[in-house]
Amino acid sequence: MKKVAKTVGPVMTPVVRLILDYIRVHSCGLDERLPSERQLAQKLDISRNSLREAMKTLEALGVIEIKRGSGMYLRKTDFDPHEHASLWLLIHRTEILDILTVRETLDMRAVDLVPFDRYPAVASQLRACLGQIDPTPSGVDALRQHDLAFHGIVRAAAGNRVLCDICTSLNGSIYDERRALFSIPGQMRQCIADHRRVMECYETGSRDAVYQAMADHLLGVRQAIENAMPR
């Protein structure tokens, strides 16, 4: 059994994930009474003992409140992506991975579209962008702004307005995803290191090197998010 990040605390079991999935799929509302223990166990095809243990975890997280003689009530439908990164990533798993797929496709296409004669200017802008952030930032929001600016430089250099507009529209959707990502220990430093490598590849003038550096960076982000999601 694997524990989630320290920001979450309780052990995340498969049964906990089943219950969270049920809450999400059935659009259970805040303060709504959930099905009885017997009914929910039948719906999820699990034993009542397993359900009780999972409910203790969710009660400790403040997701549900168990009132003896009354039932189980939903008290929280979401979590702060910074304070509860792993659980937030789990709850929004499908949406996040779908958004990442679109982002990866657009960012790699942007790399393809940047003209060779723009490489020196792009490298200079990326170096300036990196120079504006502390290499060991203390704030998640500071790195989030840096990440948006860094990728924005490459997208703008691609010269495709539609691509830029789509990426801008996605920024709001992945705001919390970035907060959760940068709450993962070591991810801030890794992001800056990846960005520096991309910048240095632009300085070499090699499209292949830039393409590989960006691909490695995006893959690392995906893997960090997937690994942070409770198993």
Side-chain angles (χ1 to χ4, degrees), residues 81-98:
H82 179 50
E83 296 180 0
H84 301 281
S86 294
L87 191 55
W88 188 90
L89 289 168
L90 171 69
I91 292 172
H92 296 276
R93 178 186 179 91
T94 300
E95 175 190 359
I96 292 169
L97 295 181
D98 285 348

Side-chain angles (χ1 to χ4, degrees), residues 13-145:
T13 68
V15 178
V16 171
R17 294 198 295 272
L18 279 175
I19 297 170
L20 290 173
D21 285 342
Y22 176 90
I23 291 171
R24 182 177 63 251
V25 170
H26 290 82
S27 301
C28 298
L30 196 63
D31 297 326
E32 179 180 333
R33 187 170 70 175
L34 299 175
S36 69
E37 181 183 286
R38 178 181 60 80
Q39 292 172 327
L40 194 53
Q42 289 178 343
K43 290 176 183 293
L44 299 177
D45 192 25
I46 57 176
S47 72
R48 293 177 68 171
N49 285 337
S50 295
L51 179 66
R52 290 191 193 106
E53 290 302 312
M55 284 302 188
K56 289 179 183 177
T57 296
L58 292 174
E59 188 174 33
L61 287 166
V63 177
I64 65 168
E65 179 184 1
I66 301 175
K67 293 185 176 182
R68 183 168 299 180
S70 177
M72 301 177 292
Y73 294 82
L74 185 63
R75 298 307 190 200
K76 186 182 291 186
T77 57
D78 209 344
F79 297 82
D80 184 282
H82 179 50
E83 296 180 0
H84 301 281
S86 294
L87 191 55
W88 188 90
L89 289 168
L90 171 69
I91 292 172
H92 296 276
R93 178 186 179 91
T94 300
E95 175 190 359
I96 292 169
L97 295 181
D98 285 348
I99 291 173
L100 281 179
T101 297
V102 175
R103 177 191 171 190
E104 290 161 356
T105 301
L106 292 174
D107 277 341
M108 295 310 298
R109 184 57 180 154
V111 169
D112 287 334
L113 293 174
V114 177
F116 284 113
D117 61 6
R118 289 282 298 154
Y119 274 35
V122 171
S124 178
Q125 292 176 54
L126 294 179
R127 181 172 288 280
C129 183
L130 281 161
Q132 293 174 0
I133 189 167
D134 189 324
T136 56
S138 58
V140 170
D141 285 333
L143 187 57
R144 182 184 64 82
Q145 292 294 342

Side-chain angles (χ1 to χ4, degrees), residues 92-229:
H92 296 276
R93 178 186 179 91
T94 300
E95 175 190 359
I96 292 169
L97 295 181
D98 285 348
I99 291 173
L100 281 179
T101 297
V102 175
R103 177 191 171 190
E104 290 161 356
T105 301
L106 292 174
D107 277 341
M108 295 310 298
R109 184 57 180 154
V111 169
D112 287 334
L113 293 174
V114 177
F116 284 113
D117 61 6
R118 289 282 298 154
Y119 274 35
V122 171
S124 178
Q125 292 176 54
L126 294 179
R127 181 172 288 280
C129 183
L130 281 161
Q132 293 174 0
I133 189 167
D134 189 324
T136 56
S138 58
V140 170
D141 285 333
L143 187 57
R144 182 184 64 82
Q145 292 294 342
H146 161 77
D147 190 61
L148 292 173
F150 189 92
H151 286 278
I153 291 170
V154 177
R155 294 163 186 164
N160 187 303
R161 183 180 58 80
V162 175
L163 184 149
C164 289
D165 288 346
I166 294 174
C167 290
T168 299
S169 70
L170 284 176
N171 286 342
S173 300
I174 59 178
Y175 173 85
D176 287 337
E177 168 257 318
R178 289 173 189 269
R179 285 184 59 83
L181 171 65
F182 296 142
S183 298
I184 299 171
Q187 193 57 35
M188 286 187 177
R189 188 176 295 277
Q190 183 62 52
C191 177
I192 293 175
D194 287 351
H195 285 184
R196 188 169 300 281
R197 180 186 169 204
V198 171
M199 178 270 295
E200 291 171 347
C201 288
Y202 270 107
E203 290 181 333
T204 69
S206 169
R207 187 184 299 278
D208 288 343
V210 171
Y211 194 91
Q212 188 61 57
M214 183 66 78
D216 290 345
H217 170 49
L218 297 176
L219 177 60
V221 169
R222 174 178 286 274
Q223 290 176 336
I225 289 176
E226 290 179 339
N227 290 338
M229 292 175 178

